[in-house]
Amino acid sequence: VFEPGIEDTNAVRFTGTSEDTRVSYEDAGSVFKVNWNAGDRVGFFARTAGEELRNNVAYAAKASAATTDFSPVAYSERIRWADETTQHNFYAYSPFSEQAGTDPTAISVSIPAVQQQAANNDTAHLPALDFMYAGAEGLVKSDDPISMNFKHAFSVLDLHLPMKENVRLMLTDIEFTCTSNTKELVSFENGKIDLATGKLDLSGATGSNSIRLECGFATSDLEDQHLFMMVTPGHAGETFEITATINGTKYLLATRTVPEAGLPAGKVVTVDAVLPEFDEEDLYHPEDLSAGGVANCYIVNKAGATLAGIGVAVEKGFQDGGDSLRREGYPIKSLAIIDSVDDGVIRFREDS
């Protein structure tokens, strides 16, 4: 950050915004927004026609907002105007990497082949996978901050699973695979991007024609499921399959051919899946014990957890719920057990 009490009138000031990414499945045109967090680091480059002024200087976001000012992490590395009349070009990217290099037309980027989502409709994993870039060219010295409009380099795939009543699934993972071309890079390492144009160069990259999204959570039949993964844009005319691993069995959810326009960078592309007929043994069945008199008490039979015990404030001993659990071997401790309720008289079990 800037050193206290020091003001450099020749220092370049920057402010940045991130573009809105339209979500295609909502007719209202709602947006998928990425906000800055205070302290987020951004790499900046400064050029004139004949000079490299600064290479990959780390700046930090000052505020947690969609638009924020940036200040240099190290005051001594601040970017300064060369003079008052020379045209300057500025380029930036996020997240910052010390290994980005000195060439703003060839910044290293990657998309991992394995990604993780913690819960339904959760997008918390996406910012760490995102890459944004910005450029501002032909500028002369000004006291106003330079506005950097950051764009997203990659595409977001939203797999929409329309759930059915009484169909619950324990999702292990989702796979997005290009089946028409095994050399098509959906995930990659050691790619390059030009910060001036946003063009990806994957000629020297290594990668895979698929991405696996690890889930490890149970679905609900009360709400549709949305699974998100970061993928490379493009792939015009290529065919993809989306599969789900459920209880060790792989099911085909969708087969799609990408339109000639390709998957657009910086956008969320929704794929509507059609649920197949699942084998009964692969369905996820919570054990509902409410019919036995233990209201709202559920034991999940496939969660892999060990039940240590059941604590009850007031047990209705005149119903079979508690006793049925004891017969199954579950340890139960009730603070009080009601044996009967007759003519407004409540009788408690003496040894409870």
Side-chain angles (χ1 to χ4, degrees):
V1 297
F2 283 109
E3 293 182 0
I6 295 179
E7 182 178 358
D8 183 354
T9 59
N10 210 38
V12 182
R13 297 165 56 210
F14 295 102
T15 185
T17 60
S18 59
E19 68 175 358
D20 294 337
T21 304
R22 291 205 164 272
V23 180
S24 59
Y25 58 80
E26 292 195 12
D27 293 337
S30 64
V31 293
F32 175 77
K33 293 180 182 249
V34 175
N35 286 337
W36 300 103
N37 291 320
D40 281 350
R41 293 195 174 191
V42 177
F44 277 90
F45 295 79
R47 297 285 190 272
T48 62
E51 185 180 3
E52 296 181 5
L53 299 180
R54 286 293 185 186
N55 289 319
N56 199 33
V57 178
Y59 275 62
K62 286 187 171 183
S64 296
T67 300
T68 182
D69 293 334
F70 297 99
S71 58
V73 173
Y75 180 74
S76 61
E77 295 296 313
R78 66 195 182 280
I79 296 174
R80 306 177 78 241
W81 296 101
D83 54 48
E84 295 187 356
T85 58
T86 300
Q87 290 190 343
H88 294 65
N89 299 330
F90 302 102
Y91 306 101
Y93 71 94
S94 176
F96 172 77
S97 170
E98 293 183 352
Q99 287 74 44
T102 61
D103 185 358
T105 67
I107 301 297
S108 296
V109 289
S110 64
I111 294 179
V114 179
Q115 303 172 18
Q116 295 88 28
Q117 180 172 327
N120 175 43
N121 208 26
D122 183 15
T123 60
H125 60 296
L126 293 180
L129 304 173
D130 198 9
F131 185 93
M132 296 190 293
Y133 64 96
E137 299 179 326
L139 302 177
V140 296
K141 183 180 178 181
S142 171
D143 293 333
D144 296 327
I146 305 301
S147 179
M148 307 294 288
N149 182 25
F150 285 81
K151 301 179 183 298
H152 302 275
F154 305 140
S155 304
V156 174
L157 182 72
D158 170 18
L159 176 62
H160 170 220
L161 295 179
M163 301 306 294
K164 300 177 181 178
E165 186 177 359
N166 296 323
V167 174
R168 302 181 183 92
L169 309 168
M170 178 61 76
L171 283 175
T172 302
D173 58 51
I174 300 290
E175 286 196 50
F176 178 66
T177 304
C178 181
T179 55
S180 58
N181 182 359
T182 58
K183 295 183 179 180
E184 190 77 2
L185 295 185
V186 181
S187 58
F188 66 91
E189 296 180 350
N190 302 318
K192 304 292 183 183
I193 187 171
D194 185 339
L195 300 184
T197 64
K199 183 179 179 180
L200 282 173
D201 179 6
L202 303 183
S203 59
T206 58
S208 172
N209 66 324
S210 69
I211 288 178
R212 186 174 83 251
L213 181 69
E214 295 180 344
C215 303
F217 57 83
T219 68
S220 168
D221 60 345
L222 302 179
E223 60 180 356
D224 286 359
Q225 307 294 295
H226 288 275
L227 295 309
F228 300 94
M229 60 181 71
M230 195 73 70
V231 302
T232 49
H235 313 297
E238 302 291 355
T239 299
F240 288 82
E241 285 186 354
I242 300 178
T243 58
T245 303
I246 299 167
N247 194 32
T249 303
K250 184 167 288 190
Y251 290 91
L252 178 63
L253 300 181
T255 300
R256 297 288 188 274
T257 298
V258 178
E260 288 305 315
L263 300 179
K267 303 297 180 184
V268 177
V269 179
T270 301
V271 176
D272 293 315
V274 177
L275 291 186
E277 291 297 322
F278 297 102
D279 294 339
E280 181 64 26
E281 62 182 11
D282 291 333
L283 295 179
Y284 176 72
H285 294 292
E287 187 176 349
D288 183 358
L289 301 178
S290 61
V294 186
N296 299 321
C297 179
Y298 299 93
I299 296 174
V300 180
N301 59 8
K302 291 186 180 180
T306 299
L307 181 64
I310 300 172
V312 181
V314 180
E315 178 184 338
K316 293 179 285 186
F318 53 88
Q319 293 182 340
D320 191 47
D323 290 337
S324 67
L325 290 172
R326 292 184 181 91
R327 289 194 295 270
E328 293 292 328
Y330 296 114
I332 300 178
K333 178 61 179 177
S334 300
L335 297 179
I337 300 177
I338 298 175
D339 267 338
S340 65
V341 179
D342 295 314
D343 297 327
V345 178
I346 301 175
R347 290 182 174 83
F348 291 90
R349 189 172 300 178
E350 293 185 358
D351 59 353
S352 63

